[in-house]
Amino acid sequence: MTTLHLTNARIIDPEAGTITQGSVTLAKGLIAAINGPKPKGATEIDCGGNHLAPGIVDIGVKIGEPGERHRESFRSAGLAAAAGGVTTLIARPDTTPAIDTPETLEFVTRRAAEASPVRIRHMAALTKARAGREMTEIGFLLDAGAIAFTDAFAVTADAKVLSRAFTYARSLGALVIGHPQDPGLSQGAAATSGKFASLRGLPAVSPIAERMGLERDLALVELTGVRYHADQITTARALPALQRAKAAGLDVTAGTSIHHLTLNEIDLGDYRTFFKLTPPLRSEEDRLAMVEAVANGTIDCISSMHTPADEESKRLPFEEAAPGAVALETLLPAAMRLYHAGHIDLPTLFRALSLNPAKRLGLPQGRMAPGAPADLVLFNPDAPFLMDRFKLRSKSKNTPFDGQRMEGKVLATFVNGTQVHSA
């Protein structure tokens, strides 16, 4: 394994909250030194004064294997992630079939290791077939390598089933990732309730549905003591419950998606299905509340919630179109919008993109320190470009940023001390 000496870099340390000029040495898959001398025989790479940060750890990526390989494969997802500065993917279990048995988990783990240039870890389903009726064999799945348990967007309606699953997960120290929505209120919704949805005649859901779903989950967390992470908080009305849970000492964290930080319901425009997401885009007031919550630490993580969909499932009437957007390559450029708007500085941004997700999952990634894994991204936050969806490495091209002017270009990505992407 070649020793690399990265010089002339602006080093982002999300733990210390600093940006310093200097060099980073990568050896044997680890960060060997920061601002140390060049080791004998090392390959020197001049970073050109660009920013060097811990690679992004992305919780909640949808990959189409097994069952929907035409939408996304481990290979295409890995290449897209490397191009976007994402060095660790945390894959969702909403596949066909669902990842709910050790055998299925072992299959996808092996396939991912063979095909992807970046690290891929897998979440397993919390209930069998994600049907919300019977919990999976959490212990066996943990032994097979499951990093967390979730039914993704399939919310369990039966609180007794959920409480039993939480109790069992707590006994094993497993992390449960919930999707805060009331399943009854949110069923069939394509937009957020309000004047805009009414004018467009779209079936809508109130932001209260998210608050209700979160309140229920947090009550069960209080009952069972399970480790819990909310995948997406997108409305201001849900924030007080999250703040109370943290103040009470519950083992709770929360994330939000990059789309809910950078887009709002008006972007739906004339029924543009690339903007149809789960949960639906919210008001501008909600968007700004989420940005503030990330800045002050109420929301811990930012993720892509990468959800590939083929052309046939998107080119339908808005109500019938599949929800979701690809985001592995657009996550960092979209996040730069928050930086350039002055909402969030770069160390805080990478705390939410890299450090906090890694810490929550018990991974050693996400840190810029000697001894940490050499998973890094080199990028220029100011480089402008025009987003062309047909240049994305994902098999599916359903990005809401198509044709938009963006800033922030990934120049190089390193995984385990090896360069896996170069612009």
Side-chain angles (χ1 to χ4, degrees), residues 4-11 20-26 33-39 42-52 376 378 414:
L4 301 179
H5 188 61
L6 313 181
T7 63
N8 190 22
R10 301 193 69 194
I11 303 167
T20 56
Q21 192 82 18
S23 65
V24 178
T25 304
L26 313 182
I34 295 177
N35 293 327
K38 177 186 174 183
T43 300
E44 184 170 317
I45 298 176
D46 186 347
C47 296
N50 291 298
H51 288 74
L52 188 67
L376 305 174
L378 179 69
F414 303 86

Side-chain angles (χ1 to χ4, degrees), residues 2 36 54 72 76 96 109 162 200 205 235 237 245 247 303 325 364 373 415:
T2 305
E72 196 78 284
S76 62
T96 307
T109 300
L162 201 58
R200 291 293 186 272
V205 59
T235 70
R237 294 189 183 190
S303 63
V415 176

Side-chain angles (χ1 to χ4, degrees), residues 341-355:
H343 293 307
I344 303 177
D345 61 34
L346 289 176
T348 301
L349 202 54
F350 274 89
R351 192 176 303 139
L353 288 168
S354 305
L355 178 63

